[in-house]
């Protein structure tokens, strides 16, 4: 599944979950000791690679025979970005040339050692990883590692490369050639960024709702999702990933699973439905219906048992009745946080766009069923209403809504970091 390129461990509410993606050390020494001990037959193969670039950004895609772990580091003289993946071998000929001209001038893919494949991106300009994640195989599409790069300053790139090198040396037991710092003057641990998973509704064979002019909901939601991702990433406060990046069909349970397996801090599903009454219009935000426990229980029974939900929080031998209590507490906490997120977003949307009456609403949407991820569904408008259709296609209106959504998301996370007044969702 997708994983942020820069994250670590932190607690949030009742989960207190660990999110960890290994960083630069793996590129000079094994990612973990098990890399040198694990048989390569159990590891997936790299079956294809491609790089596309523009003057502002670049993307690496590695096709894999199955999901795997990865690590990333910046290297100097010359400027490069290295990506290591756990892999049994390479099942393709040398990679093709870079498609386009810009950030990346060349790349190679080779086995750095048994069980580890390395992709080396040679940079024409200093760059940083905007996001990186692994996708499971879907339909006829293989599992993939996707790494997105954006421009960086020479100073920031040099600083990051020096830190990656120092971390690798420290892991190998090499003492850095620098003077010791005075007690209490060392830098604080790097703060981790919340992971926001944006879910553009529908896609592929599922068009969703359609307007009289032929525009489909799946295209509206993907456009909004991409623009919201850009705004959130540009803020420097969040790691962001999309459940789909193109016209791809994903089942509802796959969307929920993506958020859960990557321990997302907030799941935002975007939609623009239609309704028989054409005068109904405006935006709204949904949270999960408090009474919709039957569907949640069905999801839990089909995907994993209750012990898996609280894995890492309870001992394996804990009695079933205690596990049930913890699961219920987790559900309540996630619903409360979902309601807080909905309120924060509506507060920012209110001065910018037309809202439905009682814009914070509850319904039994399947994508809101994750018991361990705060989840909301944003209805951007109605494709059955002419005014909403016009707005949804206007870039200036879309920009205003995206900015409001981003501010609301930021306000929600700010609220988690301060004492909260008890709230009760209706």
């Amino acid at each position: 599944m997708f994983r942020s390129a820069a994250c670590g461990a932190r607690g949030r509410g009742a989960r207190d979950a660990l999110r960890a993606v290994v960083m630069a050390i793996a590129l000079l020494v094994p990612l973990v000791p098990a890399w040198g001990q694990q048989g390569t037959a159990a590891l997936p193969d790299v079956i294809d690679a491609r790089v596309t670039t523009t003057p502002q950004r670049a993307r690496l895609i590695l096709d894999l025979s199955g999901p795997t772990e990865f690590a990333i580091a910046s290297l100097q003289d010359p400027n490069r970005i290295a990506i290591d993946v756990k892999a049994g071998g390479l099942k393709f000929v040398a990679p093709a040339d870079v498609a386009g001209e810009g950030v990346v001038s060349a790349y190679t893919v080779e086995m750095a050692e048994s069980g580890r494949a390395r992709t080396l991106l040679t940079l024409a300009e200093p760059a940083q990883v905007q996001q990186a994640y692994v996708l499971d195989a879907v339909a006829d599409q293989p599992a993939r590692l996707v790494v997105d790069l954006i421009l960086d300053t020479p100073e920031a790139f040099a600083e990051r490369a020096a830190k990656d090198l120092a971390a690798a040396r420290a892991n190998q037991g090499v003492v850095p050639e620098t003077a010791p710092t005075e007690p209490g003057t060392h830098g604080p641990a790097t703060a981790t960024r919340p992971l926001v998973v944006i879910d553009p509704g529908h896609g592929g064979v599922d068009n969703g709702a359609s307007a009289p002019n032929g525009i489909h909901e799946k295209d509206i939601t993907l456009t909004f999702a991409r623009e919201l991702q850009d705004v959130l990433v540009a803020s420097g406060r969040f790691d962001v990933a999309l459940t789909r990046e193109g016209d791809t069909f994903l089942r509802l349970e796959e969307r929920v699973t993506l958020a859960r397996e990557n321990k997302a801090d907030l799941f935002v599903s975007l939609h623009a439905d239609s309704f028989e009454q054409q005068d109904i219009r405006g935006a709204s935000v949904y949270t999960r219906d408090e009474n919709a426990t039957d569907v949640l229980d069905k999801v839990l029974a089909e995907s994993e048992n209750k012990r898996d939900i609280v894995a890492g929080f309870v001992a394996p031998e804990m009695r079933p009745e205690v596990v049930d209590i913890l699961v219920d507490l987790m559900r309540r906490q996630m619903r409360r946080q979902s309601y807080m997120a909905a309120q924060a977003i509506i507060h920012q949307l209110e001065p910018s766009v037309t809202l439905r009456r009682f814009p914070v609403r509850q319904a039994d949407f399947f994508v809101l069923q994750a018991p361990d991820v705060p989840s909301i569904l944003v209805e951007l408008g109605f494709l059955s209403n002419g005014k909403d259709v016009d707005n949804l296609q206007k870039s200036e209106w879309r920009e205003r809504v995206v900015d409001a959504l981003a501010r609301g998301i930021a306000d929600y996370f700010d609220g988690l970091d301060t004492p909260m007044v008890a709230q009760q969702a209706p």
Side-chain angles (χ1 to χ4, degrees), residues 3 6 12 46 67 77 87 127 154 168 171 190 207 229 233 251 259 280 287 321 324 422:
R3 298 187 180 183
R12 188 66 83 183
V46 181
D77 302 322
N171 193 66
T190 303
N207 291 329
Q229 179 185 37
V233 169
R251 298 190 306 275
I280 292 182
T287 62
E321 60 269 27
D324 289 343

Side-chain angles (χ1 to χ4, degrees), residues 110-145:
E110 60 184 7
M111 295 301 296
E113 65 179 15
S114 177
R116 181 153 55 107
R118 173 171 299 167
T119 302
L120 206 56
L121 305 178
T122 301
L123 303 178
E125 301 287 344
Q128 61 177 306
V129 175
Q130 180 187 37
Q131 61 176 352
Y133 49 91
V134 175
L135 294 171
D136 273 345
V138 177
D140 59 344
Q141 301 296 320
R144 287 173 174 165
L145 168 64

Side-chain angles (χ1 to χ4, degrees), residues 336 339-340 343 418-425:
R336 178 172 178 268
Y339 183 71
M340 290 174 58
Q343 290 277 46
T418 57
M420 296 177 289
V421 178
Q423 301 182 51
Q424 179 65 45

Side-chain angles (χ1 to χ4, degrees), residues 70-127:
F70 66 93
I72 300 173
S74 301
L75 308 171
Q76 281 187 295
D77 302 322
N79 289 348
R80 293 155 295 163
I81 289 181
I83 303 98
D84 278 11
V85 298
K86 283 186 176 182
L90 305 181
K91 299 299 182 182
F92 66 105
V93 184
D97 293 337
V98 175
E101 295 182 357
V103 177
V104 175
S105 60
Y107 75 108
T108 60
V109 183
E110 60 184 7
M111 295 301 296
E113 65 179 15
S114 177
R116 181 153 55 107
R118 173 171 299 167
T119 302
L120 206 56
L121 305 178
T122 301
L123 303 178
E125 301 287 344

